[in-house]
Amino acid sequence: MKRPLTLDITRLLLRRRHATPTGIDRLELAYARALLGAQDRPVAFEAWVPGIGACGYSRAALAALLPRIEARWAAGEPSGIALSGLRPRVRREGEVRLLVSHHHLAELDRRHRPDAKTCVYVHDAIPADFPEYARPGGAEKHERRLRNAARFADGILVNSHATAASLARFLEARRPPLLVAPLGVEPRFAGAAPEVQDRPYFLCLGTIEPRKNHLLLLQVWRALAGGGDAPRLILVGRRGWENENVVDMLERSPAIRALVVEAGRVGDARLAGLVAGARAVLMPSFAEGFGLPVAEALAAGVPVIASDLPALRETGGDVPDYLDPLDGPGWMQAIRDYAAPGSARRAAQLDRLGHWSPPGWDAHFDAVLPFLDGL
């Protein structure tokens, strides 16, 4: 039996004002698109409004809103889109409520509805496992999210087996059904025209924060700066937290400023071109739950050099070159090799890439929808 589904779009409505999406935003957008297109089951949408609680959201209003959000994100422009479409919440017998962001998992205890099944998507356990990388108070908040998921959820979706393993310690007393459902890759990455720069460049995607290990890359580029043919490094992502050393190098080192471009937030259209033109996408993180930049780069036919982490190996398989995130000399040598014209090491990865297939949204929902119906 195909169950009625209600998708919580609170985060998506809030993020409509932002110029660029996160991976979690992309997932919630994909769920909204997929459920809007579902013709064979009852589907509804809801959002949590402060001071009011759960409200319904018009299907027609959402269908009109999504293309406008996507257009803004593609251009990298903050949105002035007015919000309309809220209406009274209608409860349906046998429905499954979907929360696919972490937006109010920490408050799920007071928003839980015993009259409906609840399925949540857990993207990682990183703040709980590595509190040293979180904002102040972030570890405690994320632990509440994970314990709420374990206590109240009737089903749990995760993006990787690595995330499932990290979540296991929170599921000791109660084990709801769990499904590994990797994120899909948007089609724009497969056919984008490469951005042309005046010298070869490497690309690093992600918020500038300690977990992403930008400091290693800046040390490598500081050492490369003495050569006249050194490649460029382009950083895509906003400045985050606890990153004083990185900011000092970006702002005060002449050698870094000559070779490293801090692009900040970049719209999806330009992002696809930047990925397509890179010698490689670099991901030297200390911890990841999935590694969407790995999948996006490989989908574009672009090599990846990444930290040797279970989640990244799960995403990239045997295609990327994997290195310890503390192995500075190894990263420097790999970057030198990949920057060289006719690089044999880069060519070898491109050959491996021919056997890799990107995760797709169709496969994602082919697995998720039967899982929801079985709750």
Side-chain angles (χ1 to χ4, degrees), residues 234-267:
I234 299 178
L235 305 178
V236 171
R238 67 182 179 87
R239 291 185 181 184
W241 52 91
E242 307 292 343
N243 54 20
E244 291 83 357
N245 289 347
V246 171
V247 171
D248 285 346
M249 293 190 74
L250 288 170
E251 294 183 349
R252 295 163 55 187
S253 169
I256 292 293
R257 290 203 306 270
L259 288 175
V260 177
V261 176
E262 189 181 1
R265 293 182 171 96
V266 169

Side-chain angles (χ1 to χ4, degrees), residues 127-146:
D129 288 340
F130 300 95
E132 64 271 28
Y133 298 138
R135 296 182 179 92
E140 294 80 6
K141 183 175 183 178
H142 202 61
E143 286 213 14
R144 287 200 305 275
R145 291 173 178 146
L146 300 181

Side-chain angles (χ1 to χ4, degrees), residues 12-364:
L12 188 61
L13 296 183
L14 292 172
R15 295 289 299 183
R16 79 189 191 282
R17 299 175 297 203
H18 291 247
T20 56
T22 66
I24 295 176
D25 299 335
R26 295 190 194 283
L27 178 78
E28 192 162 312
L29 178 70
Y31 270 73
R33 281 192 313 229
L35 296 187
L36 275 174
Q39 303 298 323
D40 58 347
R41 71 170 68 235
V43 170
F45 303 91
E46 69 177 15
W48 190 270
V49 179
I52 299 176
C55 294
Y57 195 82
S58 160
R59 185 170 183 152
L62 185 61
L65 179 64
L66 291 190
R68 299 179 68 188
I69 293 176
E70 292 184 85
R72 292 285 190 167
W73 285 351
E77 298 173 354
S79 171
I81 301 170
L83 183 62
S84 62
L86 292 171
R87 61 187 188 183
R89 171 77 174 83
V90 177
R91 299 184 177 184
R92 298 165 302 169
E93 184 178 352
E95 74 176 349
V96 177
R97 297 177 62 233
L98 269 168
L99 285 76
V100 299
S101 77
H102 291 164
H103 188 74
H104 36 251
L105 277 182
E107 295 80 31
L108 189 59
D109 54 344
R110 60 188 180 86
R111 300 182 185 181
H112 180 61
R113 279 185 38 212
D115 62 314
K117 298 291 185 182
T118 298
C119 183
V120 303
Y121 198 110
V122 175
H123 294 263
D124 61 63
I126 291 171
D129 288 340
F130 300 95
E132 64 271 28
Y133 298 138
R135 296 182 179 92
E140 294 80 6
K141 183 175 183 178
H142 202 61
E143 286 213 14
R144 287 200 305 275
R145 291 173 178 146
L146 300 181
R147 296 193 188 284
N148 278 347
R151 180 180 176 188
F152 295 112
D154 300 288
I156 296 176
L157 304 170
V158 294
N159 50 12
S160 66
H161 292 280
T163 296
S166 296
L167 186 59
R169 68 185 175 95
F170 295 94
L171 303 178
E172 293 175 354
R174 179 174 177 269
R175 290 188 173 271
L178 183 146
L179 177 70
V180 176
L183 279 66
V185 176
E186 298 296 331
R188 68 179 175 278
F189 285 98
E195 179 159 322
V196 177
Q197 298 268 334
D198 59 357
R199 65 173 69 208
Y201 67 89
F202 291 78
L203 191 65
C204 180
L205 312 175
T207 300
I208 298 176
E209 47 142 324
R211 175 174 64 88
K212 297 293 187 178
N213 200 17
H214 289 81
L215 190 59
L216 175 140
L217 295 181
L218 295 187
Q219 296 288 2
V220 167
W221 254 267
R222 181 69 179 82
L224 292 173
D229 58 349
R232 179 168 287 130
L233 172 64
I234 299 178
L235 305 178
V236 171
R238 67 182 179 87
R239 291 185 181 184
W241 52 91
E242 307 292 343
N243 54 20
E244 291 83 357
N245 289 347
V246 171
V247 171
D248 285 346
M249 293 190 74
L250 288 170
E251 294 183 349
R252 295 163 55 187
S253 169
I256 292 293
R257 290 203 306 270
L259 288 175
V260 177
V261 176
E262 189 181 1
R265 293 182 171 96
V266 169
D268 283 351
R270 189 183 176 210
L271 176 60
L274 281 170
V275 171
R279 296 296 291 174
V281 167
L282 308 177
M283 201 164 183
S285 306
F286 289 115
E288 291 289 346
F290 178 61
L292 186 58
V294 171
E296 291 172 339
L298 297 182
V302 173
V304 172
I305 307 171
S307 290
D308 194 357
L309 303 176
L312 301 188
R313 281 192 176 271
E314 194 172 330
T315 302
D318 64 356
V319 177
D321 271 332
Y322 297 103
L323 297 167
D324 189 296
L326 295 176
D327 182 9
W331 280 87
M332 181 178 294
Q333 187 58 56
I335 289 162
R336 288 185 189 275
D337 289 346
Y338 274 72
S343 166
R345 192 169 177 180
R346 188 174 188 271
Q349 182 171 162
L350 290 173
D351 185 60
R352 298 193 298 270
L353 183 51
H355 307 290
W356 184 87
S357 297
W361 286 118
D362 287 347
H364 179 100

